[in-house]
Amino acid sequence: MTDISATPRRPVVPTMSGLARLKRLLGSSPRRLNLALQGGGAHGAFTWGVLDALLEDPGLVFEGLSGSSAGAMNAVMFADGWAKGGRDGARQGLSDFWTEVGKQMPWGMTTHGQGEAISLSPASKLLASWAGYFSPSQLNPLDLNPLRDLLNRQVDFERLREASPFKLFIGTTQANTGKLRVFRETELTVDVLLASACLPKIHHPVEIDGEPHWDGGYAANPAVFPLFYDCESRDILLVLLSPLQREGRLNTVEEIEERIVELAFSANFMREMRMFAQATEFSNPTFLTWGRLERRLQKMRFHMIDSNQVPSLQRSETKVLAYGPFLTLLRAQGRERATDWLSAQSAEVGQRSTVDMKKWFT
């Protein structure tokens, strides 16, 4: 038998990445993350899968969650479930919510293919095109919203207002002014959550404090600055549903219209991230300029799980495909993408940024 202890070994000099992984293996202090969760209708089930995988890693702890639209739904389900049952409760809460959402679409509104072949039926597409000619007050004069009933059944809003396990930042858009309003966990109500996901061509505006509110994605998708200013953790994980880059030319009217909608919901986020990238570069430390803001900017670390090369998220029409099998597919794809990130980059949390800010945002 070979005596392994007698075998000469070359000295190993760990890199920063190696040191980070070594600390993780030795049970170093938990890695704290803030989560910035994009909205995107039914595509939010991809984020469900991402969060489900993150919750399986006991070395990750969370401080703040910011979200708009479906991102806000995921943030609140995450917090409400955690308040009821810790990590397992958060996973169950997300599963319960998306499972119920997947039951909302009537039979016959989808094609019954498998995997990527699942799509809206021709009848659904026709109805969607007709709906564009009517206001919500004409299409839905009684303001019926099954989502309100689902949220009231599942979420203990009073408990979250009094003792949320995380800092929550829920974005809405004030319809009359176009201003972003960010609601904290202490202000959370079912109306706040519905306002954050209020698409004005489908739903009546949600009135809060006498002001009509629309989907938060118009003003911030999601808002990143609250995680910068109001959280102690310097690591922010961006979970993105809108592709950062499209390939090829846009030739058809439908493709052009879909891209216009995408840009409308991502422009403010891209502008905010450009600001962070440029401000960090501008704040190079010197004796005369090294103030509180510069110190914080230099300590910021961004990470990202994006939707590039995920075929299911490349079709804008499927944002309304609240169909169980499709949501389950997105969950699986989100889990796979998050598992890859955990394996390749999560050890860098607390060490360095893993996003090339200049490449993606400037």
Side-chain angles (χ1 to χ4, degrees):
M1 180 179 291
T2 302
D3 183 359
I4 298 176
S5 63
T7 304
R9 297 182 180 180
R10 295 171 56 189
V12 177
V13 180
T15 62
M16 278 300 294
S17 177
L19 287 172
R21 290 188 175 90
L22 180 60
K23 289 180 180 179
R24 180 179 177 186
L25 290 172
L26 294 176
S28 60
S29 59
R31 293 153 289 143
R32 288 202 306 169
L33 267 181
N34 295 316
L35 303 177
L37 310 179
Q38 266 194 348
H43 289 182
F46 176 86
T47 304
W48 165 29
V50 170
L51 296 177
D52 192 65
L54 295 180
L55 285 163
E56 287 185 339
D57 187 338
L60 289 178
V61 295
F62 309 95
E63 181 183 0
L65 290 82
S66 178
S68 293
S69 196
M73 298 290 171
N74 279 317
V76 170
M77 298 308 146
F78 188 103
D80 179 69
W82 190 294
K84 294 171 180 175
R87 291 178 183 272
D88 290 340
R91 295 181 68 197
Q92 188 63 53
L94 287 160
S95 177
D96 290 345
F97 173 75
W98 285 105
T99 298
E100 286 301 312
V101 168
K103 299 176 182 177
Q104 301 299 314
M105 182 162 282
W107 186 90
M109 300 296 283
T110 66
T111 60
H112 296 282
Q114 297 293 323
E116 305 294 345
I118 301 173
S119 65
L120 293 173
S121 68
S124 297
K125 295 178 182 179
L126 182 61
L127 287 173
S129 66
W130 286 348
Y133 295 101
F134 300 92
S135 70
S137 60
Q138 293 171 310
L139 287 173
N140 184 11
L142 299 179
D143 193 17
L144 301 176
N145 191 342
L147 186 57
R148 178 184 292 274
D149 297 331
L150 171 56
L151 293 174
N152 278 324
R153 286 196 308 270
Q154 181 165 342
V155 179
D156 189 340
F157 288 98
E158 182 177 357
R159 181 174 184 171
L160 285 180
R161 287 193 298 270
E162 293 178 354
S164 173
F166 311 109
K167 298 174 182 177
L168 297 177
F169 308 94
I170 306 303
T172 69
T173 302
Q174 292 182 331
N176 290 343
T177 64
K179 292 181 180 179
L180 169 69
R181 179 167 178 183
V182 177
F183 291 87
R184 291 297 306 270
E185 65 278 5
T186 54
E187 306 170 285
L188 189 62
T189 65
V190 68
D191 281 337
V192 166
L193 203 48
L194 288 172
S196 187
C198 176
L199 293 173
K201 288 189 175 183
I202 299 175
H203 305 294
H204 292 248
V206 180
E207 189 168 303
I208 303 173
D209 298 333
E211 288 281 345
H213 288 72
W214 285 350
D215 195 299
Y218 290 113
N221 192 23
V224 179
F225 70 88
L227 302 174
F228 174 78
Y229 287 108
D230 296 327
C231 294
E232 294 181 9
S233 173
R234 301 272 60 90
D235 288 88
I236 297 176
L237 174 61
L238 310 170
V239 183
L240 308 184
L241 300 179
S242 294
L244 291 174
Q245 182 175 329
R246 285 286 188 186
E247 301 293 338
R249 295 175 60 87
L250 302 174
N251 296 315
T252 68
V253 173
E254 291 78 10
E255 290 172 340
I256 294 171
E257 289 180 346
E258 287 181 357
R259 187 57 177 157
I260 289 172
V261 172
E262 279 185 350
L263 292 175
F265 275 91
S266 62
N268 285 308
F269 166 76
M270 295 296 292
R271 189 179 301 114
E272 186 178 11
M273 293 306 300
R274 182 187 180 101
M275 180 276 294
F276 276 116
Q278 292 182 323
T280 301
E281 186 175 0
F282 186 75
S283 66
N284 285 329
T286 69
F287 177 75
L288 295 176
T289 63
W290 196 233
R292 180 184 178 190
L293 180 60
E294 288 81 7
R295 289 196 302 270
R296 180 165 289 210
L297 281 167
Q298 289 295 322
K299 290 180 180 178
M300 287 303 298
R301 296 177 291 268
F302 285 98
H303 314 276
M304 182 168 69
I305 296 175
D306 67 4
S307 60
N308 287 335
Q309 307 305 316
V310 179
S312 303
L313 300 182
Q314 308 307 306
R315 297 179 294 159
S316 292
E317 68 174 40
T318 55
K319 290 180 180 179
V320 297
L321 190 54
Y323 176 54
F326 180 65
L327 302 182
T328 301
L329 170 68
L330 291 181
R331 173 187 178 272
Q333 293 173 334
R335 277 190 57 86
E336 180 180 6
R337 185 60 62 92
T339 300
D340 291 343
W341 179 83
L342 286 166
S343 175
Q345 296 183 325
S346 69
E348 308 296 349
V349 173
Q351 304 295 324
R352 66 181 186 89
S353 180
T354 58
V355 176
D356 186 339
M357 299 287 282
K358 182 173 290 188
K359 172 184 177 182
W360 292 114
F361 301 117
T362 63

